[in-house]
């Protein structure tokens, strides 16, 4: 029943584990190993029942059902725990990668910045506006403009603006990620690599969804 899950977890874990911080890798490794042991045990027991010539078909099915009833809840609980560990790390990494909001935000300054951006963006075609907004984010990064960097790099404003122009907000996300990746520190680059591993089909999260 869970043989494919076992094989996939082993394969995918080999890919994602090297990028994991040690504080996450240890509890996740322990959870993974517990799941694999349970899967190996239940698989062996079900195979043994199938191979027992002394059992009738009905008796085999009863034994198999009882065995699964014992193991399946533990396996699923382990998968849920592994999912939570993975999602917690994903949330943490995403937070670390998002430009920080300045401690003190002058609302008047923020409104003026949004107004200035709209004066530049509104006359443009929608997708041209996204490209121009990405250029503005890059400029804010190079000028060390914390408010501008946060507004375009972490707040919801660009997504809402893209939506107001009839575009899928995900299109802006692609622009944003490209710019942020370009100016990422070595630590941020490592975090981005980890996030891709967690989100992609080759990551733990992809295996156990």
């Amino acid at each position: 029943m869970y043989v494919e899950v076992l094989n996939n977890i082993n394969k995918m874990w080999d890919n994602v584990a090297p990028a994991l911080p040690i504080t996450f890798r240890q509890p996740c490794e322990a959870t993974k190993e517990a799941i694999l042991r349970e899967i190996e045990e239940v698989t062996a027991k079900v195979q043994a029942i199938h191979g027992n010539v002394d059992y009738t078909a009905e008796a085999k099915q009863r034994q198999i059902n009882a065995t699964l009833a014992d193991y399946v809840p533990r396996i699923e609980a382990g998968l849920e725990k592994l999912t939570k560990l993975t999602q917690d790390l994903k949330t943490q990494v995403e937070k670390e990668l998002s430009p920080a909001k300045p401690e003190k935000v002058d609302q008047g300054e923020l409104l003026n910045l949004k107004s200035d951006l709209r004066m530049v963006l509104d006359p443009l075609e929608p997708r041209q506006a996204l490209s121009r907004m990405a250029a503005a984010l890059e400029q804010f990064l190079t000028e060390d403009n914390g408010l501008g960097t946060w507004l375009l790099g972490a707040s919801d404003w660009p997504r809402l603006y893209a939506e107001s122009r009839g575009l899928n907000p995900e299109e802006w996300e692609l622009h944003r990620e490209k710019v942020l990746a370009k100016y990422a520190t070595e630590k941020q680059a490592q975090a981005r690599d980890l996030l891709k591993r967690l989100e992609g089909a080759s990551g733990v999260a992809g295996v156990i969804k």
Side-chain angles (χ1 to χ4, degrees):
M1 183 177 183
Y2 284 99
V3 173
E4 185 176 355
V5 175
L6 183 153
N7 292 335
N8 284 340
I9 289 179
N10 273 325
K11 179 180 178 181
M12 305 310 180
W13 183 260
D14 289 342
N15 176 62
V16 73
L20 298 176
I22 190 66
T23 53
F24 173 81
R25 186 164 64 244
Q26 289 176 338
C28 206
E29 178 81 17
T31 302
K32 175 191 74 80
E33 290 300 326
I35 293 170
L36 299 187
R37 283 195 300 272
E38 297 281 8
I39 292 174
E40 290 169 351
E41 287 179 13
V42 71
T43 300
K45 287 186 177 183
V46 169
Q47 290 175 343
I49 293 169
H50 274 301
N52 193 325
V53 296
D54 294 329
Y55 286 160
T56 63
E58 292 79 7
K60 286 181 180 180
Q61 192 57 57
R62 285 196 301 271
Q63 290 289 329
I64 290 172
N65 290 343
T67 300
L68 292 178
D70 182 31
Y71 277 88
V72 168
R74 296 203 297 269
I75 293 171
E76 293 184 343
L79 290 172
E80 289 176 6
K81 182 178 180 181
L82 192 57
T83 299
K84 185 178 186 305
L85 285 167
T86 302
Q87 292 302 321
D88 286 349
L89 178 63
K90 182 173 175 289
T91 299
Q92 177 185 327
V93 173
E94 288 174 336
K95 184 177 180 179
E96 291 174 354
L97 288 174
S98 296
K101 184 177 183 179
E103 291 185 9
K104 295 181 179 180
V105 176
D106 185 305
Q107 291 303 315
E109 182 183 357
L110 180 60
L111 288 173
N112 286 337
L113 179 56
K114 291 178 180 178
S115 178
D116 290 345
L117 284 169
R118 294 205 63 146
M119 287 180 63
V120 174
L121 300 174
D122 287 352
L124 302 175
E125 293 294 325
R127 287 189 170 81
Q128 288 180 328
L130 292 192
S131 296
R132 182 64 185 85
M133 194 153 54
L137 173 58
E138 187 165 359
Q139 181 178 348
F140 290 145
L141 282 163
T142 57
E143 294 176 349
D144 199 24
N145 184 324
L147 182 61
T149 298
W150 168 78
L151 178 64
L152 297 185
S155 79
D156 289 334
W157 189 83
R159 290 176 59 87
L160 295 173
Y161 181 79
E163 196 169 23
S164 74
R165 299 297 303 274
L167 298 175
N168 186 333
E170 296 302 320
E171 292 188 52
W172 163 246
E173 292 297 326
L174 294 175
H175 284 282
R176 182 181 72 91
E177 287 304 309
K178 184 177 181 180
V179 173
L180 293 179
K182 180 180 178 180
Y183 289 89
T185 63
E186 182 178 354
K187 183 178 180 181
Q188 289 171 332
Q190 292 172 348
R192 287 182 181 282
D193 175 63
L194 172 57
L195 192 60
K196 288 180 181 179
R197 290 171 185 256
L198 292 172
E199 290 178 335
S202 61
V204 175
V207 177
I208 58 183
K209 281 179 181 177

